């Protein structure tokens, strides 16, 4: 089975290098972003302002030669400001659809938790079904479609908490964090005259992204590895410290993310380490802990660690 060819491995390495030229010292986070893109999933970036979230997303759009749109969320934002609206055309005597910013390849939804719950819900259909419905008419979104939303974890004034149904539609949740000292010094030197974004060139186009997404689905997952993944997912629902565990959608997201991560690293098969590494980013934001557990200092990370320790890792013995 031909999947992660040498050509694709080299192309993805160039794509990663392209993004690293704009966001220094964040190799692991860039890999997670590319994993979500290859898997066709959406990403929630939760971080304080000024860490480079918007720059990273714009760099990704430019690197794949994709159309980029941005939505700045606030309480006044209406659902039609996202999806678009039908406007009556007197000359043609009919309503014509004027598309909103959601009709794009890369959609940045900045500070998503500042939009009202009604406006947030306008994104649910697009995130899951890859189409929108306006005035009863269905409109397909461009392909590929990747939504990247940001939120500030320390600013609660004028914000609306994302409901579990919406969090469950994000494949990966990650945080960039502050750069280390060396990266921050390098950042000063690299941006002293011109921003690296201005010299950024496209590495691939959207058709190549679609091709790689199709090949990701062909990556092999052994039955034993699949059992390992399902066991981890199910144990998040049975753990005594967990009020709400990972959904079946979360299980499928972890499958696709693991295949994409393997593909990104030049393999046409998934190994248990892929699942163990990605589980906190794919399952973590979907888990809600019991109130008593949170008061006792239990965290999602600690719960996942105990689950990993209690699940036997499949090992293949070669004769």
């Amino acid at each position: 089975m031909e999947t992660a060819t040498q050509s694709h491995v080299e192309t993805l390495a160039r794509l990663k290098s392209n993004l690293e030229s704009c966001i220094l010292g964040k190799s692991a986070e860039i890999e997670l972003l590319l994993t979500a893109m290859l898997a066709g999933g959406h990403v929630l970036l939760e971080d304080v302002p000024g860490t480079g979230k918007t720059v990273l997303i714009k760099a990704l759009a430019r690197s794949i030669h994709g159309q980029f749109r941005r939505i700045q969320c606030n309480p006044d934002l209406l659902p039609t400001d996202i999806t678009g609206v039908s406007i009556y055309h007197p000359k043609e005597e009919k309503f014509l659809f004027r598309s909103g910013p959601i009709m794009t390849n890369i959609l940045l939804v900045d500070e998503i938790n500042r939009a009202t719950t009604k406006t947030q819900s306008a994104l649910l259909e697009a995130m899951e079904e890859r189409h929108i419905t306006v005035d009863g008419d269905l409109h397909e979104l461009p392909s590929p479609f990747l939504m990247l939303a940001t939120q500030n974890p320390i600013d609660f004034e004028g914000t609306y908490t994302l409901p579990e149904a919406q969090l469950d539609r994000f494949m990966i949740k990650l945080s960039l964090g502050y750069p280390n000292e060396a990266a921050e010094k390098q950042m000063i030197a690299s941006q002293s005259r011109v921003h690296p974004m201005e010299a950024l060139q496209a590495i691939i186009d959207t058709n190549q992204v679609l091709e790689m997404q199709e090949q990701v689905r062909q990556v092999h997952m052994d039955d034993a590895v699949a059992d390992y993944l399902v066991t981890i997912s199910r144990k998040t629902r049975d753990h005594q410290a967990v009020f709400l565990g990972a959904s079946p959608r979360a299980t499928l997201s972890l499958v696709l993310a693991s295949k994409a991560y393997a593909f990104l690293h030049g393999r046409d098969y998934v190994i248990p380490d892929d699942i163990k590494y990605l589980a906190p980013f794919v399952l973590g934001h979907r888990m809600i802990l019991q109130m008593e557990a949170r008061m006792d200092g239990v965290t999602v990370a600690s719960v996942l660690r105990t689950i990993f320790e209690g699940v036997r890792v499949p090992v293949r013995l070669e004769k």
Side-chain angles (χ1 to χ4, degrees):
M1 178 180 59
E2 185 181 357
T3 50
T5 64
Q6 185 63 32
S7 173
H8 284 131
V9 172
E10 293 172 357
T11 299
L12 289 169
R14 288 168 52 215
L15 180 58
K16 180 184 174 186
S17 177
N18 218 37
L19 298 179
E20 288 176 340
S21 68
C22 294
I23 302 294
L24 303 173
K26 297 298 175 183
S27 178
E29 290 78 5
I30 288 172
E31 279 197 351
L32 288 170
L33 181 62
L34 293 178
T35 296
M37 181 195 74
L38 291 170
H42 308 295
V43 178
L44 178 62
L45 287 161
E46 185 177 78
D47 219 329
V48 295
T51 54
K53 301 184 295 294
T54 302
V55 172
L56 177 59
I57 297 168
K58 291 175 72 174
L60 176 63
R62 186 170 294 187
S63 296
I64 67 170
H65 201 65
Q67 188 178 21
F68 170 80
R69 296 280 183 85
R70 174 177 178 168
I71 299 172
Q72 183 63 50
C73 293
N74 58 68
D76 296 333
L77 191 71
L78 299 174
T80 51
D81 294 331
I82 296 174
T83 60
V85 65
S86 296
I87 299 176
Y88 184 73
H89 195 285
K91 187 176 180 180
E92 298 189 21
E93 297 183 347
K94 65 178 181 181
F95 284 91
L96 299 177
F97 174 64
R98 179 170 291 179
S99 63
I102 202 167
M103 289 292 181
T104 187
N105 297 122
I106 303 291
L107 178 67
L108 167 59
V109 183
D110 211 1
E111 295 186 295
I112 188 174
N113 54 334
R114 287 197 175 278
T116 62
T117 53
K118 181 178 181 180
T119 302
Q120 289 176 10
S121 66
L123 296 166
L124 292 177
E125 181 183 13
M127 294 176 72
E128 184 68 16
E129 307 296 335
R130 309 301 168 111
H131 60 64
I132 56 172
T133 305
V134 179
D135 295 333
D137 294 327
L138 188 145
H139 303 274
E140 296 289 342
L141 296 179
S143 189
F145 171 72
L146 176 64
M147 180 179 138
L148 301 109
T150 70
Q151 66 175 2
N152 184 347
I154 63 172
D155 191 359
F156 298 106
E157 185 176 349
T159 62
Y160 301 82
T161 304
L162 292 180
E164 287 72 26
Q166 186 137 17
L167 284 172
D168 197 35
R169 283 167 168 80
F170 286 101
M171 176 175 282
I172 288 176
K173 179 183 177 184
L174 61 91
S175 173
L176 289 180
Y178 293 119
N180 58 36
E181 183 178 357
E184 198 156 10
K185 288 180 179 179
Q186 187 180 352
M187 178 184 68
I188 294 174
S190 65
Q191 298 186 23
S192 58
R193 294 185 178 180
V194 63
H195 197 286
M197 176 74 75
E198 297 181 18
L200 208 64
Q201 299 293 323
I203 301 298
I204 56 176
D205 58 30
T206 53
N207 288 329
Q208 289 173 284
V209 173
L210 292 174
E211 179 186 334
M212 287 190 285
Q213 286 179 347
E214 182 60 32
Q215 292 195 323
V216 161
R217 292 182 173 272
Q218 307 305 317
V219 171
H220 177 68
M221 178 177 285
D222 189 81
D223 289 344
V225 177
D227 290 342
Y228 176 70
L229 185 151
V230 171
T231 301
I232 290 173
S233 185
R234 293 184 66 84
K235 280 187 175 294
T236 65
R237 307 167 197 164
D238 302 331
H239 198 284
Q240 61 181 4
V242 178
F243 174 72
L244 181 67
S247 66
R249 183 191 284 120
T251 303
L252 294 173
S253 292
L254 186 54
V255 170
L256 274 176
S258 300
K259 289 186 174 185
Y261 190 75
F263 185 88
L264 183 63
H265 288 84
R267 285 183 277 110
D268 61 359
Y269 56 90
V270 175
I271 60 175
D273 282 349
D274 298 333
I275 297 166
K276 193 171 182 179
Y277 174 70
L278 290 170
F281 303 104
V282 178
L283 305 183
H285 60 285
R286 295 169 155 106
M287 296 168 58
I288 300 177
L289 301 181
Q290 298 279 6
M291 180 65 72
E292 297 82 359
R294 281 182 284 172
M295 292 177 66
D296 291 339
V298 177
T299 63
V300 169
S302 65
V303 169
L304 285 172
R305 279 196 299 270
T306 60
I307 290 175
F308 292 146
E309 292 169 359
V311 179
R312 187 180 67 85
V313 179
V315 178
R316 181 175 180 179
L317 298 177
E318 297 287 352
K319 292 184 179 180

